[in-house]
Amino acid sequence: MKVDISAYLVVGRENTNDRPVSQIVSDAVRAGFTCVQIRSKTASAKEMIEDLRESAKAIAELGKSESVALLVDDRLDIVLAAREMGIKVDGLHVGQSDIPVSICRKFLGKDSIIGLSAPTKDLIDYVQSADVSQIDYFGAGPVHETATKPDCGMDENGKVITKTFEELAELGKKSPIPVVVGGGVKLKDIAPLKESGVGGFFVVSAVAGAESPYAAAKELADAWKFCTN
């Protein structure tokens, strides 16, 4: 599968206002989102596998199993366990301090999708010099400080370093692989993000925490799709 990161949802049980994760996933994919990552710091492995099962089912019911990637944040063990149980999970997203990409690739195989969070500090230098032979895309940000992940973009002194659209435009030009950008992204950010030349945007609470996840997701996905850069 070739991953489409243009409209990318990140979601876990702690983000949904007590609604099922699969319901949020279904709404987002129906509205035009192209990639889904299940991420939770509170759910058990068993709960995450169940959320993957139901999300994969929801994506399949929409006829999108071959076009919308279903990924897991950080947990290689959960991807492997879910696959062993017959659940279609397409890959993994890892951070700089997670399991090394080379090990993830060894266990997941050449056809799986692997994304890597690029470090906020020295971002441009990093994407130009990093070995990208085993990854499919970079994740970068934040655009704004975000309560969903308050340590996103935090430096060694505890200061959050946000990225300007000018910096993101440079990033989009210099990265050898696609870049998806998030961190507090709102509807007003979509046009400048698209114009910057990055590969896509990711959101958590803008969809998962919305009163109507479908309506919120459709606004965002349409804004990206119909914005000309």
Side-chain angles (χ1 to χ4, degrees), residues 7-203:
Y8 188 133
L9 175 70
V10 180
V11 63
R13 292 190 177 199
E14 58 266 49
N15 311 126
T16 66
N17 295 333
D18 297 323
R19 295 168 292 195
V21 168
S22 59
Q23 176 189 325
I24 308 298
V25 170
S26 179
D27 284 347
V29 172
R30 192 161 51 90
F33 268 61
T34 58
C35 189
V36 174
Q37 179 194 132
I38 304 299
R39 181 183 78 188
S40 179
K41 303 303 179 186
T42 62
S44 68
K46 185 176 181 181
E47 288 170 334
M48 286 190 72
I49 290 169
E50 185 59 28
D51 289 341
L52 281 167
R53 184 191 304 280
E54 293 304 311
S55 296
K57 180 180 176 184
I59 293 169
E61 287 173 350
L62 293 168
K64 299 286 188 178
S65 292
E66 298 307 318
S67 58
V68 173
L70 179 60
L71 311 177
V72 177
D73 178 63
D74 183 14
R75 299 291 301 271
L76 176 61
D77 58 332
I78 287 176
V79 177
L80 295 172
R83 286 182 170 182
E84 190 67 21
M85 298 165 75
I87 302 167
K88 186 180 184 296
V89 183
D90 300 296
L92 185 70
H93 183 93
V94 292
Q96 294 289 319
S97 59
D98 295 331
I99 296 172
V101 167
S102 59
I103 294 173
C104 296
R105 182 60 73 192
K106 177 181 177 181
F107 280 94
L108 295 180
K110 63 181 178 62
D111 295 327
S112 293
I113 295 160
I114 298 179
L116 176 67
S117 293
T120 301
K121 188 179 178 184
D122 304 321
L123 179 63
I124 306 295
D125 290 341
Y126 179 83
V127 300
Q128 286 184 284
S129 60
D131 176 7
V132 298
S133 61
Q134 299 191 73
I135 56 176
D136 297 282
Y137 70 89
F138 281 124
V143 178
H144 309 290
E145 292 191 43
T146 170
T148 307
K149 196 175 183 186
D151 61 344
C152 182
M154 190 175 288
D155 66 12
E156 60 269 24
N157 299 313
K159 181 183 177 184
V160 174
I161 305 169
T162 57
K163 292 298 173 188
T164 66
F165 294 116
E166 291 76 18
E167 288 174 300
L168 294 172
E170 186 180 1
L171 175 67
K173 287 175 186 170
K174 293 187 174 178
S175 175
I177 57 174
V179 181
V180 62
V181 176
V185 168
K186 304 289 191 296
L187 184 62
K188 63 182 175 60
D189 299 312
I190 299 300
L193 278 174
K194 180 77 175 281
E195 288 160 7
S196 77
V198 298
F201 68 92
F202 69 83
V203 293

